[in-house]
Structure formats: structure tokens, C-alpha cells
Amino acid sequence: GEQVEQLPSSLIVQEGASVLINCSYTDSASVYFPWYKQEPGKRLQFIIDIRSNMERKQTQRLTLLFDKKTKHLSLHITATQPGDSAIYFCSATNSNNRIFFGDGTQLVVKP
Amino acid sequence: EAAVTQSPRNKVAVTGGKVTLSCNQTNNHNNMYWYRQDTGHGLRLIHYSYGAGSTEKGDIPDGYKASRPSQENFSLILELATPSQTSVYFCASGEASGNTLYFGEGSRLIVV
């Protein structure tokens, strides 16, 4: 079945820095890739998504890049703030509507 | 915004006891899911449902049952709880294929 891998597993940066979170998947039939953010002790919340017919999507300080050929996604967060500290999850939905999550990337932004 | 509520939020159970985790969503979503979250494993799918009366096995269904008596409610049942089932459990709901999930706030279960 589908496998979703995220790297790095953790990041510590100073406020204002940019970060890059990488995600790869194995099932070429996956068509939809939402990302979620989980603040400490909280629920996962949707932050950005991309479909397999797109290459790039941007919302505020988030940019999501998608390479269908290499089955790779990258989430770029600019001008990080302490409020960005959270676990970020990549996910992939295949054509059978099965959803697979990566193990998450723990981001700590120091003031 | 989608509202998914879970109960109980915290539970301590004894080994061999029965535990029921409940989930309610008010957005008329067809699909509902139960995940567990453990350090180093991310989110793992236990059971899911496409609508009232339907339940499907996810990736780690052993030791768990699910029940979807209505569009709004989806329960996860541990008939004989074991310490290995100590975890944080998340319920989520979503519309048809290719849509985002809306998560509950989680239920922390400790089995002693």
C-alpha cells in the first residue's frame, strides 16, 4: 500500500527563518495531498493542499510544491513565528479514497 | 467550521475492561475515521466508515471494533482493553473523496 515519508522528523529554528519540510509517497495513484498542523495538545487542522494536476500552491507564508514525476512534495514556511511551532503532517489520498499520513515533522520556532 | 467532538477526552481503563470512545460530527459528512497517534508512528488508521451502518477495517484494526449507528455518530470499541492500546485517539470526518478531514480534539486513553 501507499507509504508516506516526511523529512526531517524535527526542526528547531530562530524566529524569522524559513523552513522546508519534505514529503514523498509511493503510490502513483494518489491524487490529493492535504497538509495538517497540530499544535501541542490540540487537534490536527488543515493548512494547505494540492492536487495531482497542480505544481504549486501558495497561501500567505506557506508554499507547497508538487512533483508528480518524483512523487515528492515540499512545504516551505517563510518568516516563521513562535506560533508556527507544531507538528506538521503530510498526507496522500489515493483514487480509492484511502488516506495515508506521514509520521510528522516537529517544528520548534524560538523567539 | 466543521465540528467534531469526542468523548471522553481522558480515560483510564483497567486491562480487560471495555472502553467505548464516542465521536459526533454535525456537518453531515459521509466519511468518518478513527486514528491513533503514538510517538514515532504518526497517525494510524484503525477503522473508518462511508455512512450510517457501514464500517471498514483500516490498517491496524485488531483489538478494535467500530459502530456507525447514524450519520453523526461513530464509536470505537475496545472489548478487552490492553496496555498496548494506551494512546491518543482521534476521530475525523470528511466529505467525498479528495477532501480535507476535520478532526476532533482527541481522546487520551491509558490502560493500566
Side-chain angles (χ1 to χ4, degrees):
Chain A
E2 170 77 284
Q3 293 183 31
V4 178
E5 182 177 358
Q6 277 182 249
L7 289 172
S9 58
S10 63
L11 278 174
I12 302 174
V13 300
Q14 287 294 136
E15 183 174 6
S18 294
V19 299
L20 190 69
I21 301 172
N22 295 292
C23 176
S24 61
Y25 64 99
T26 57
D27 187 352
S28 57
S30 288
V31 295
Y32 178 60
F33 306 89
W35 288 65
Y36 298 86
K37 173 185 178 183
Q38 184 184 29
E39 295 175 9
K42 301 293 186 182
R43 74 182 79 202
L44 281 77
Q45 291 191 303
F46 166 81
I47 54 173
I48 192 170
D49 62 356
I50 197 163
R51 296 190 185 273
S52 57
N53 59 353
M54 302 169 64
E55 295 182 350
R56 184 178 190 273
K57 191 168 187 179
Q58 182 173 357
T59 172
Q60 297 182 325
R61 295 183 293 108
L62 304 179
T63 301
L64 183 55
L65 301 178
F66 176 65
D67 187 329
K68 189 172 184 176
K69 184 180 287 186
T70 62
K71 301 191 191 71
H72 185 261
L73 300 98
S74 298
L75 178 66
H76 189 215
I77 308 173
T78 59
T80 53
Q81 305 163 0
D84 294 330
S85 296
I87 304 174
Y88 291 81
F89 289 96
C90 168
S91 72
T93 304
N94 66 16
S95 54
N96 293 325
N97 201 29
R98 285 296 303 272
I99 305 168
F100 299 87
F101 283 85
D103 287 345
T105 296
Q106 173 113 47
L107 172 64
V108 174
V109 180
K110 293 189 171 182
Chain B
E1 184 176 327
V4 180
T5 55
Q6 295 180 225
S7 63
R9 296 290 314 282
N10 294 281
K11 172 78 176 178
V12 178
V14 295
T15 298
K18 182 177 180 177
V19 177
T20 299
L21 304 179
S22 300
C23 179
N24 176 274
Q25 54 103 356
T26 59
N27 295 284
N28 201 31
H29 287 164
N30 286 333
N31 299 346
M32 295 187 75
Y33 307 81
W34 275 106
Y35 292 89
R36 62 178 284 175
Q37 184 179 31
D38 304 287
T39 304
H41 285 97
L43 287 167
R44 293 183 289 175
L45 180 64
I46 306 170
H47 284 288
Y48 60 104
S49 169
Y50 291 128
S54 99
T55 61
E56 307 287 339
K57 293 182 179 180
D59 300 317
I60 52 163
D62 293 346
Y64 302 93
K65 291 183 179 178
S67 173
R68 181 86 182 270
S70 64
Q71 180 81 337
E72 297 79 19
N73 296 294
F74 189 38
S75 297
L76 185 68
I77 303 149
L78 291 66
E79 295 278 4
L80 296 169
T82 68
S84 65
Q85 294 175 313
T86 293
S87 186
V88 180
Y89 292 85
F90 285 96
C91 175
S93 73
E95 295 174 346
S97 61
N99 282 284
T100 60
L101 297 183
Y102 296 87
F103 284 85
E105 293 192 330
S107 295
R108 183 175 296 276
L109 173 66
I110 299 173
V111 183
V112 298

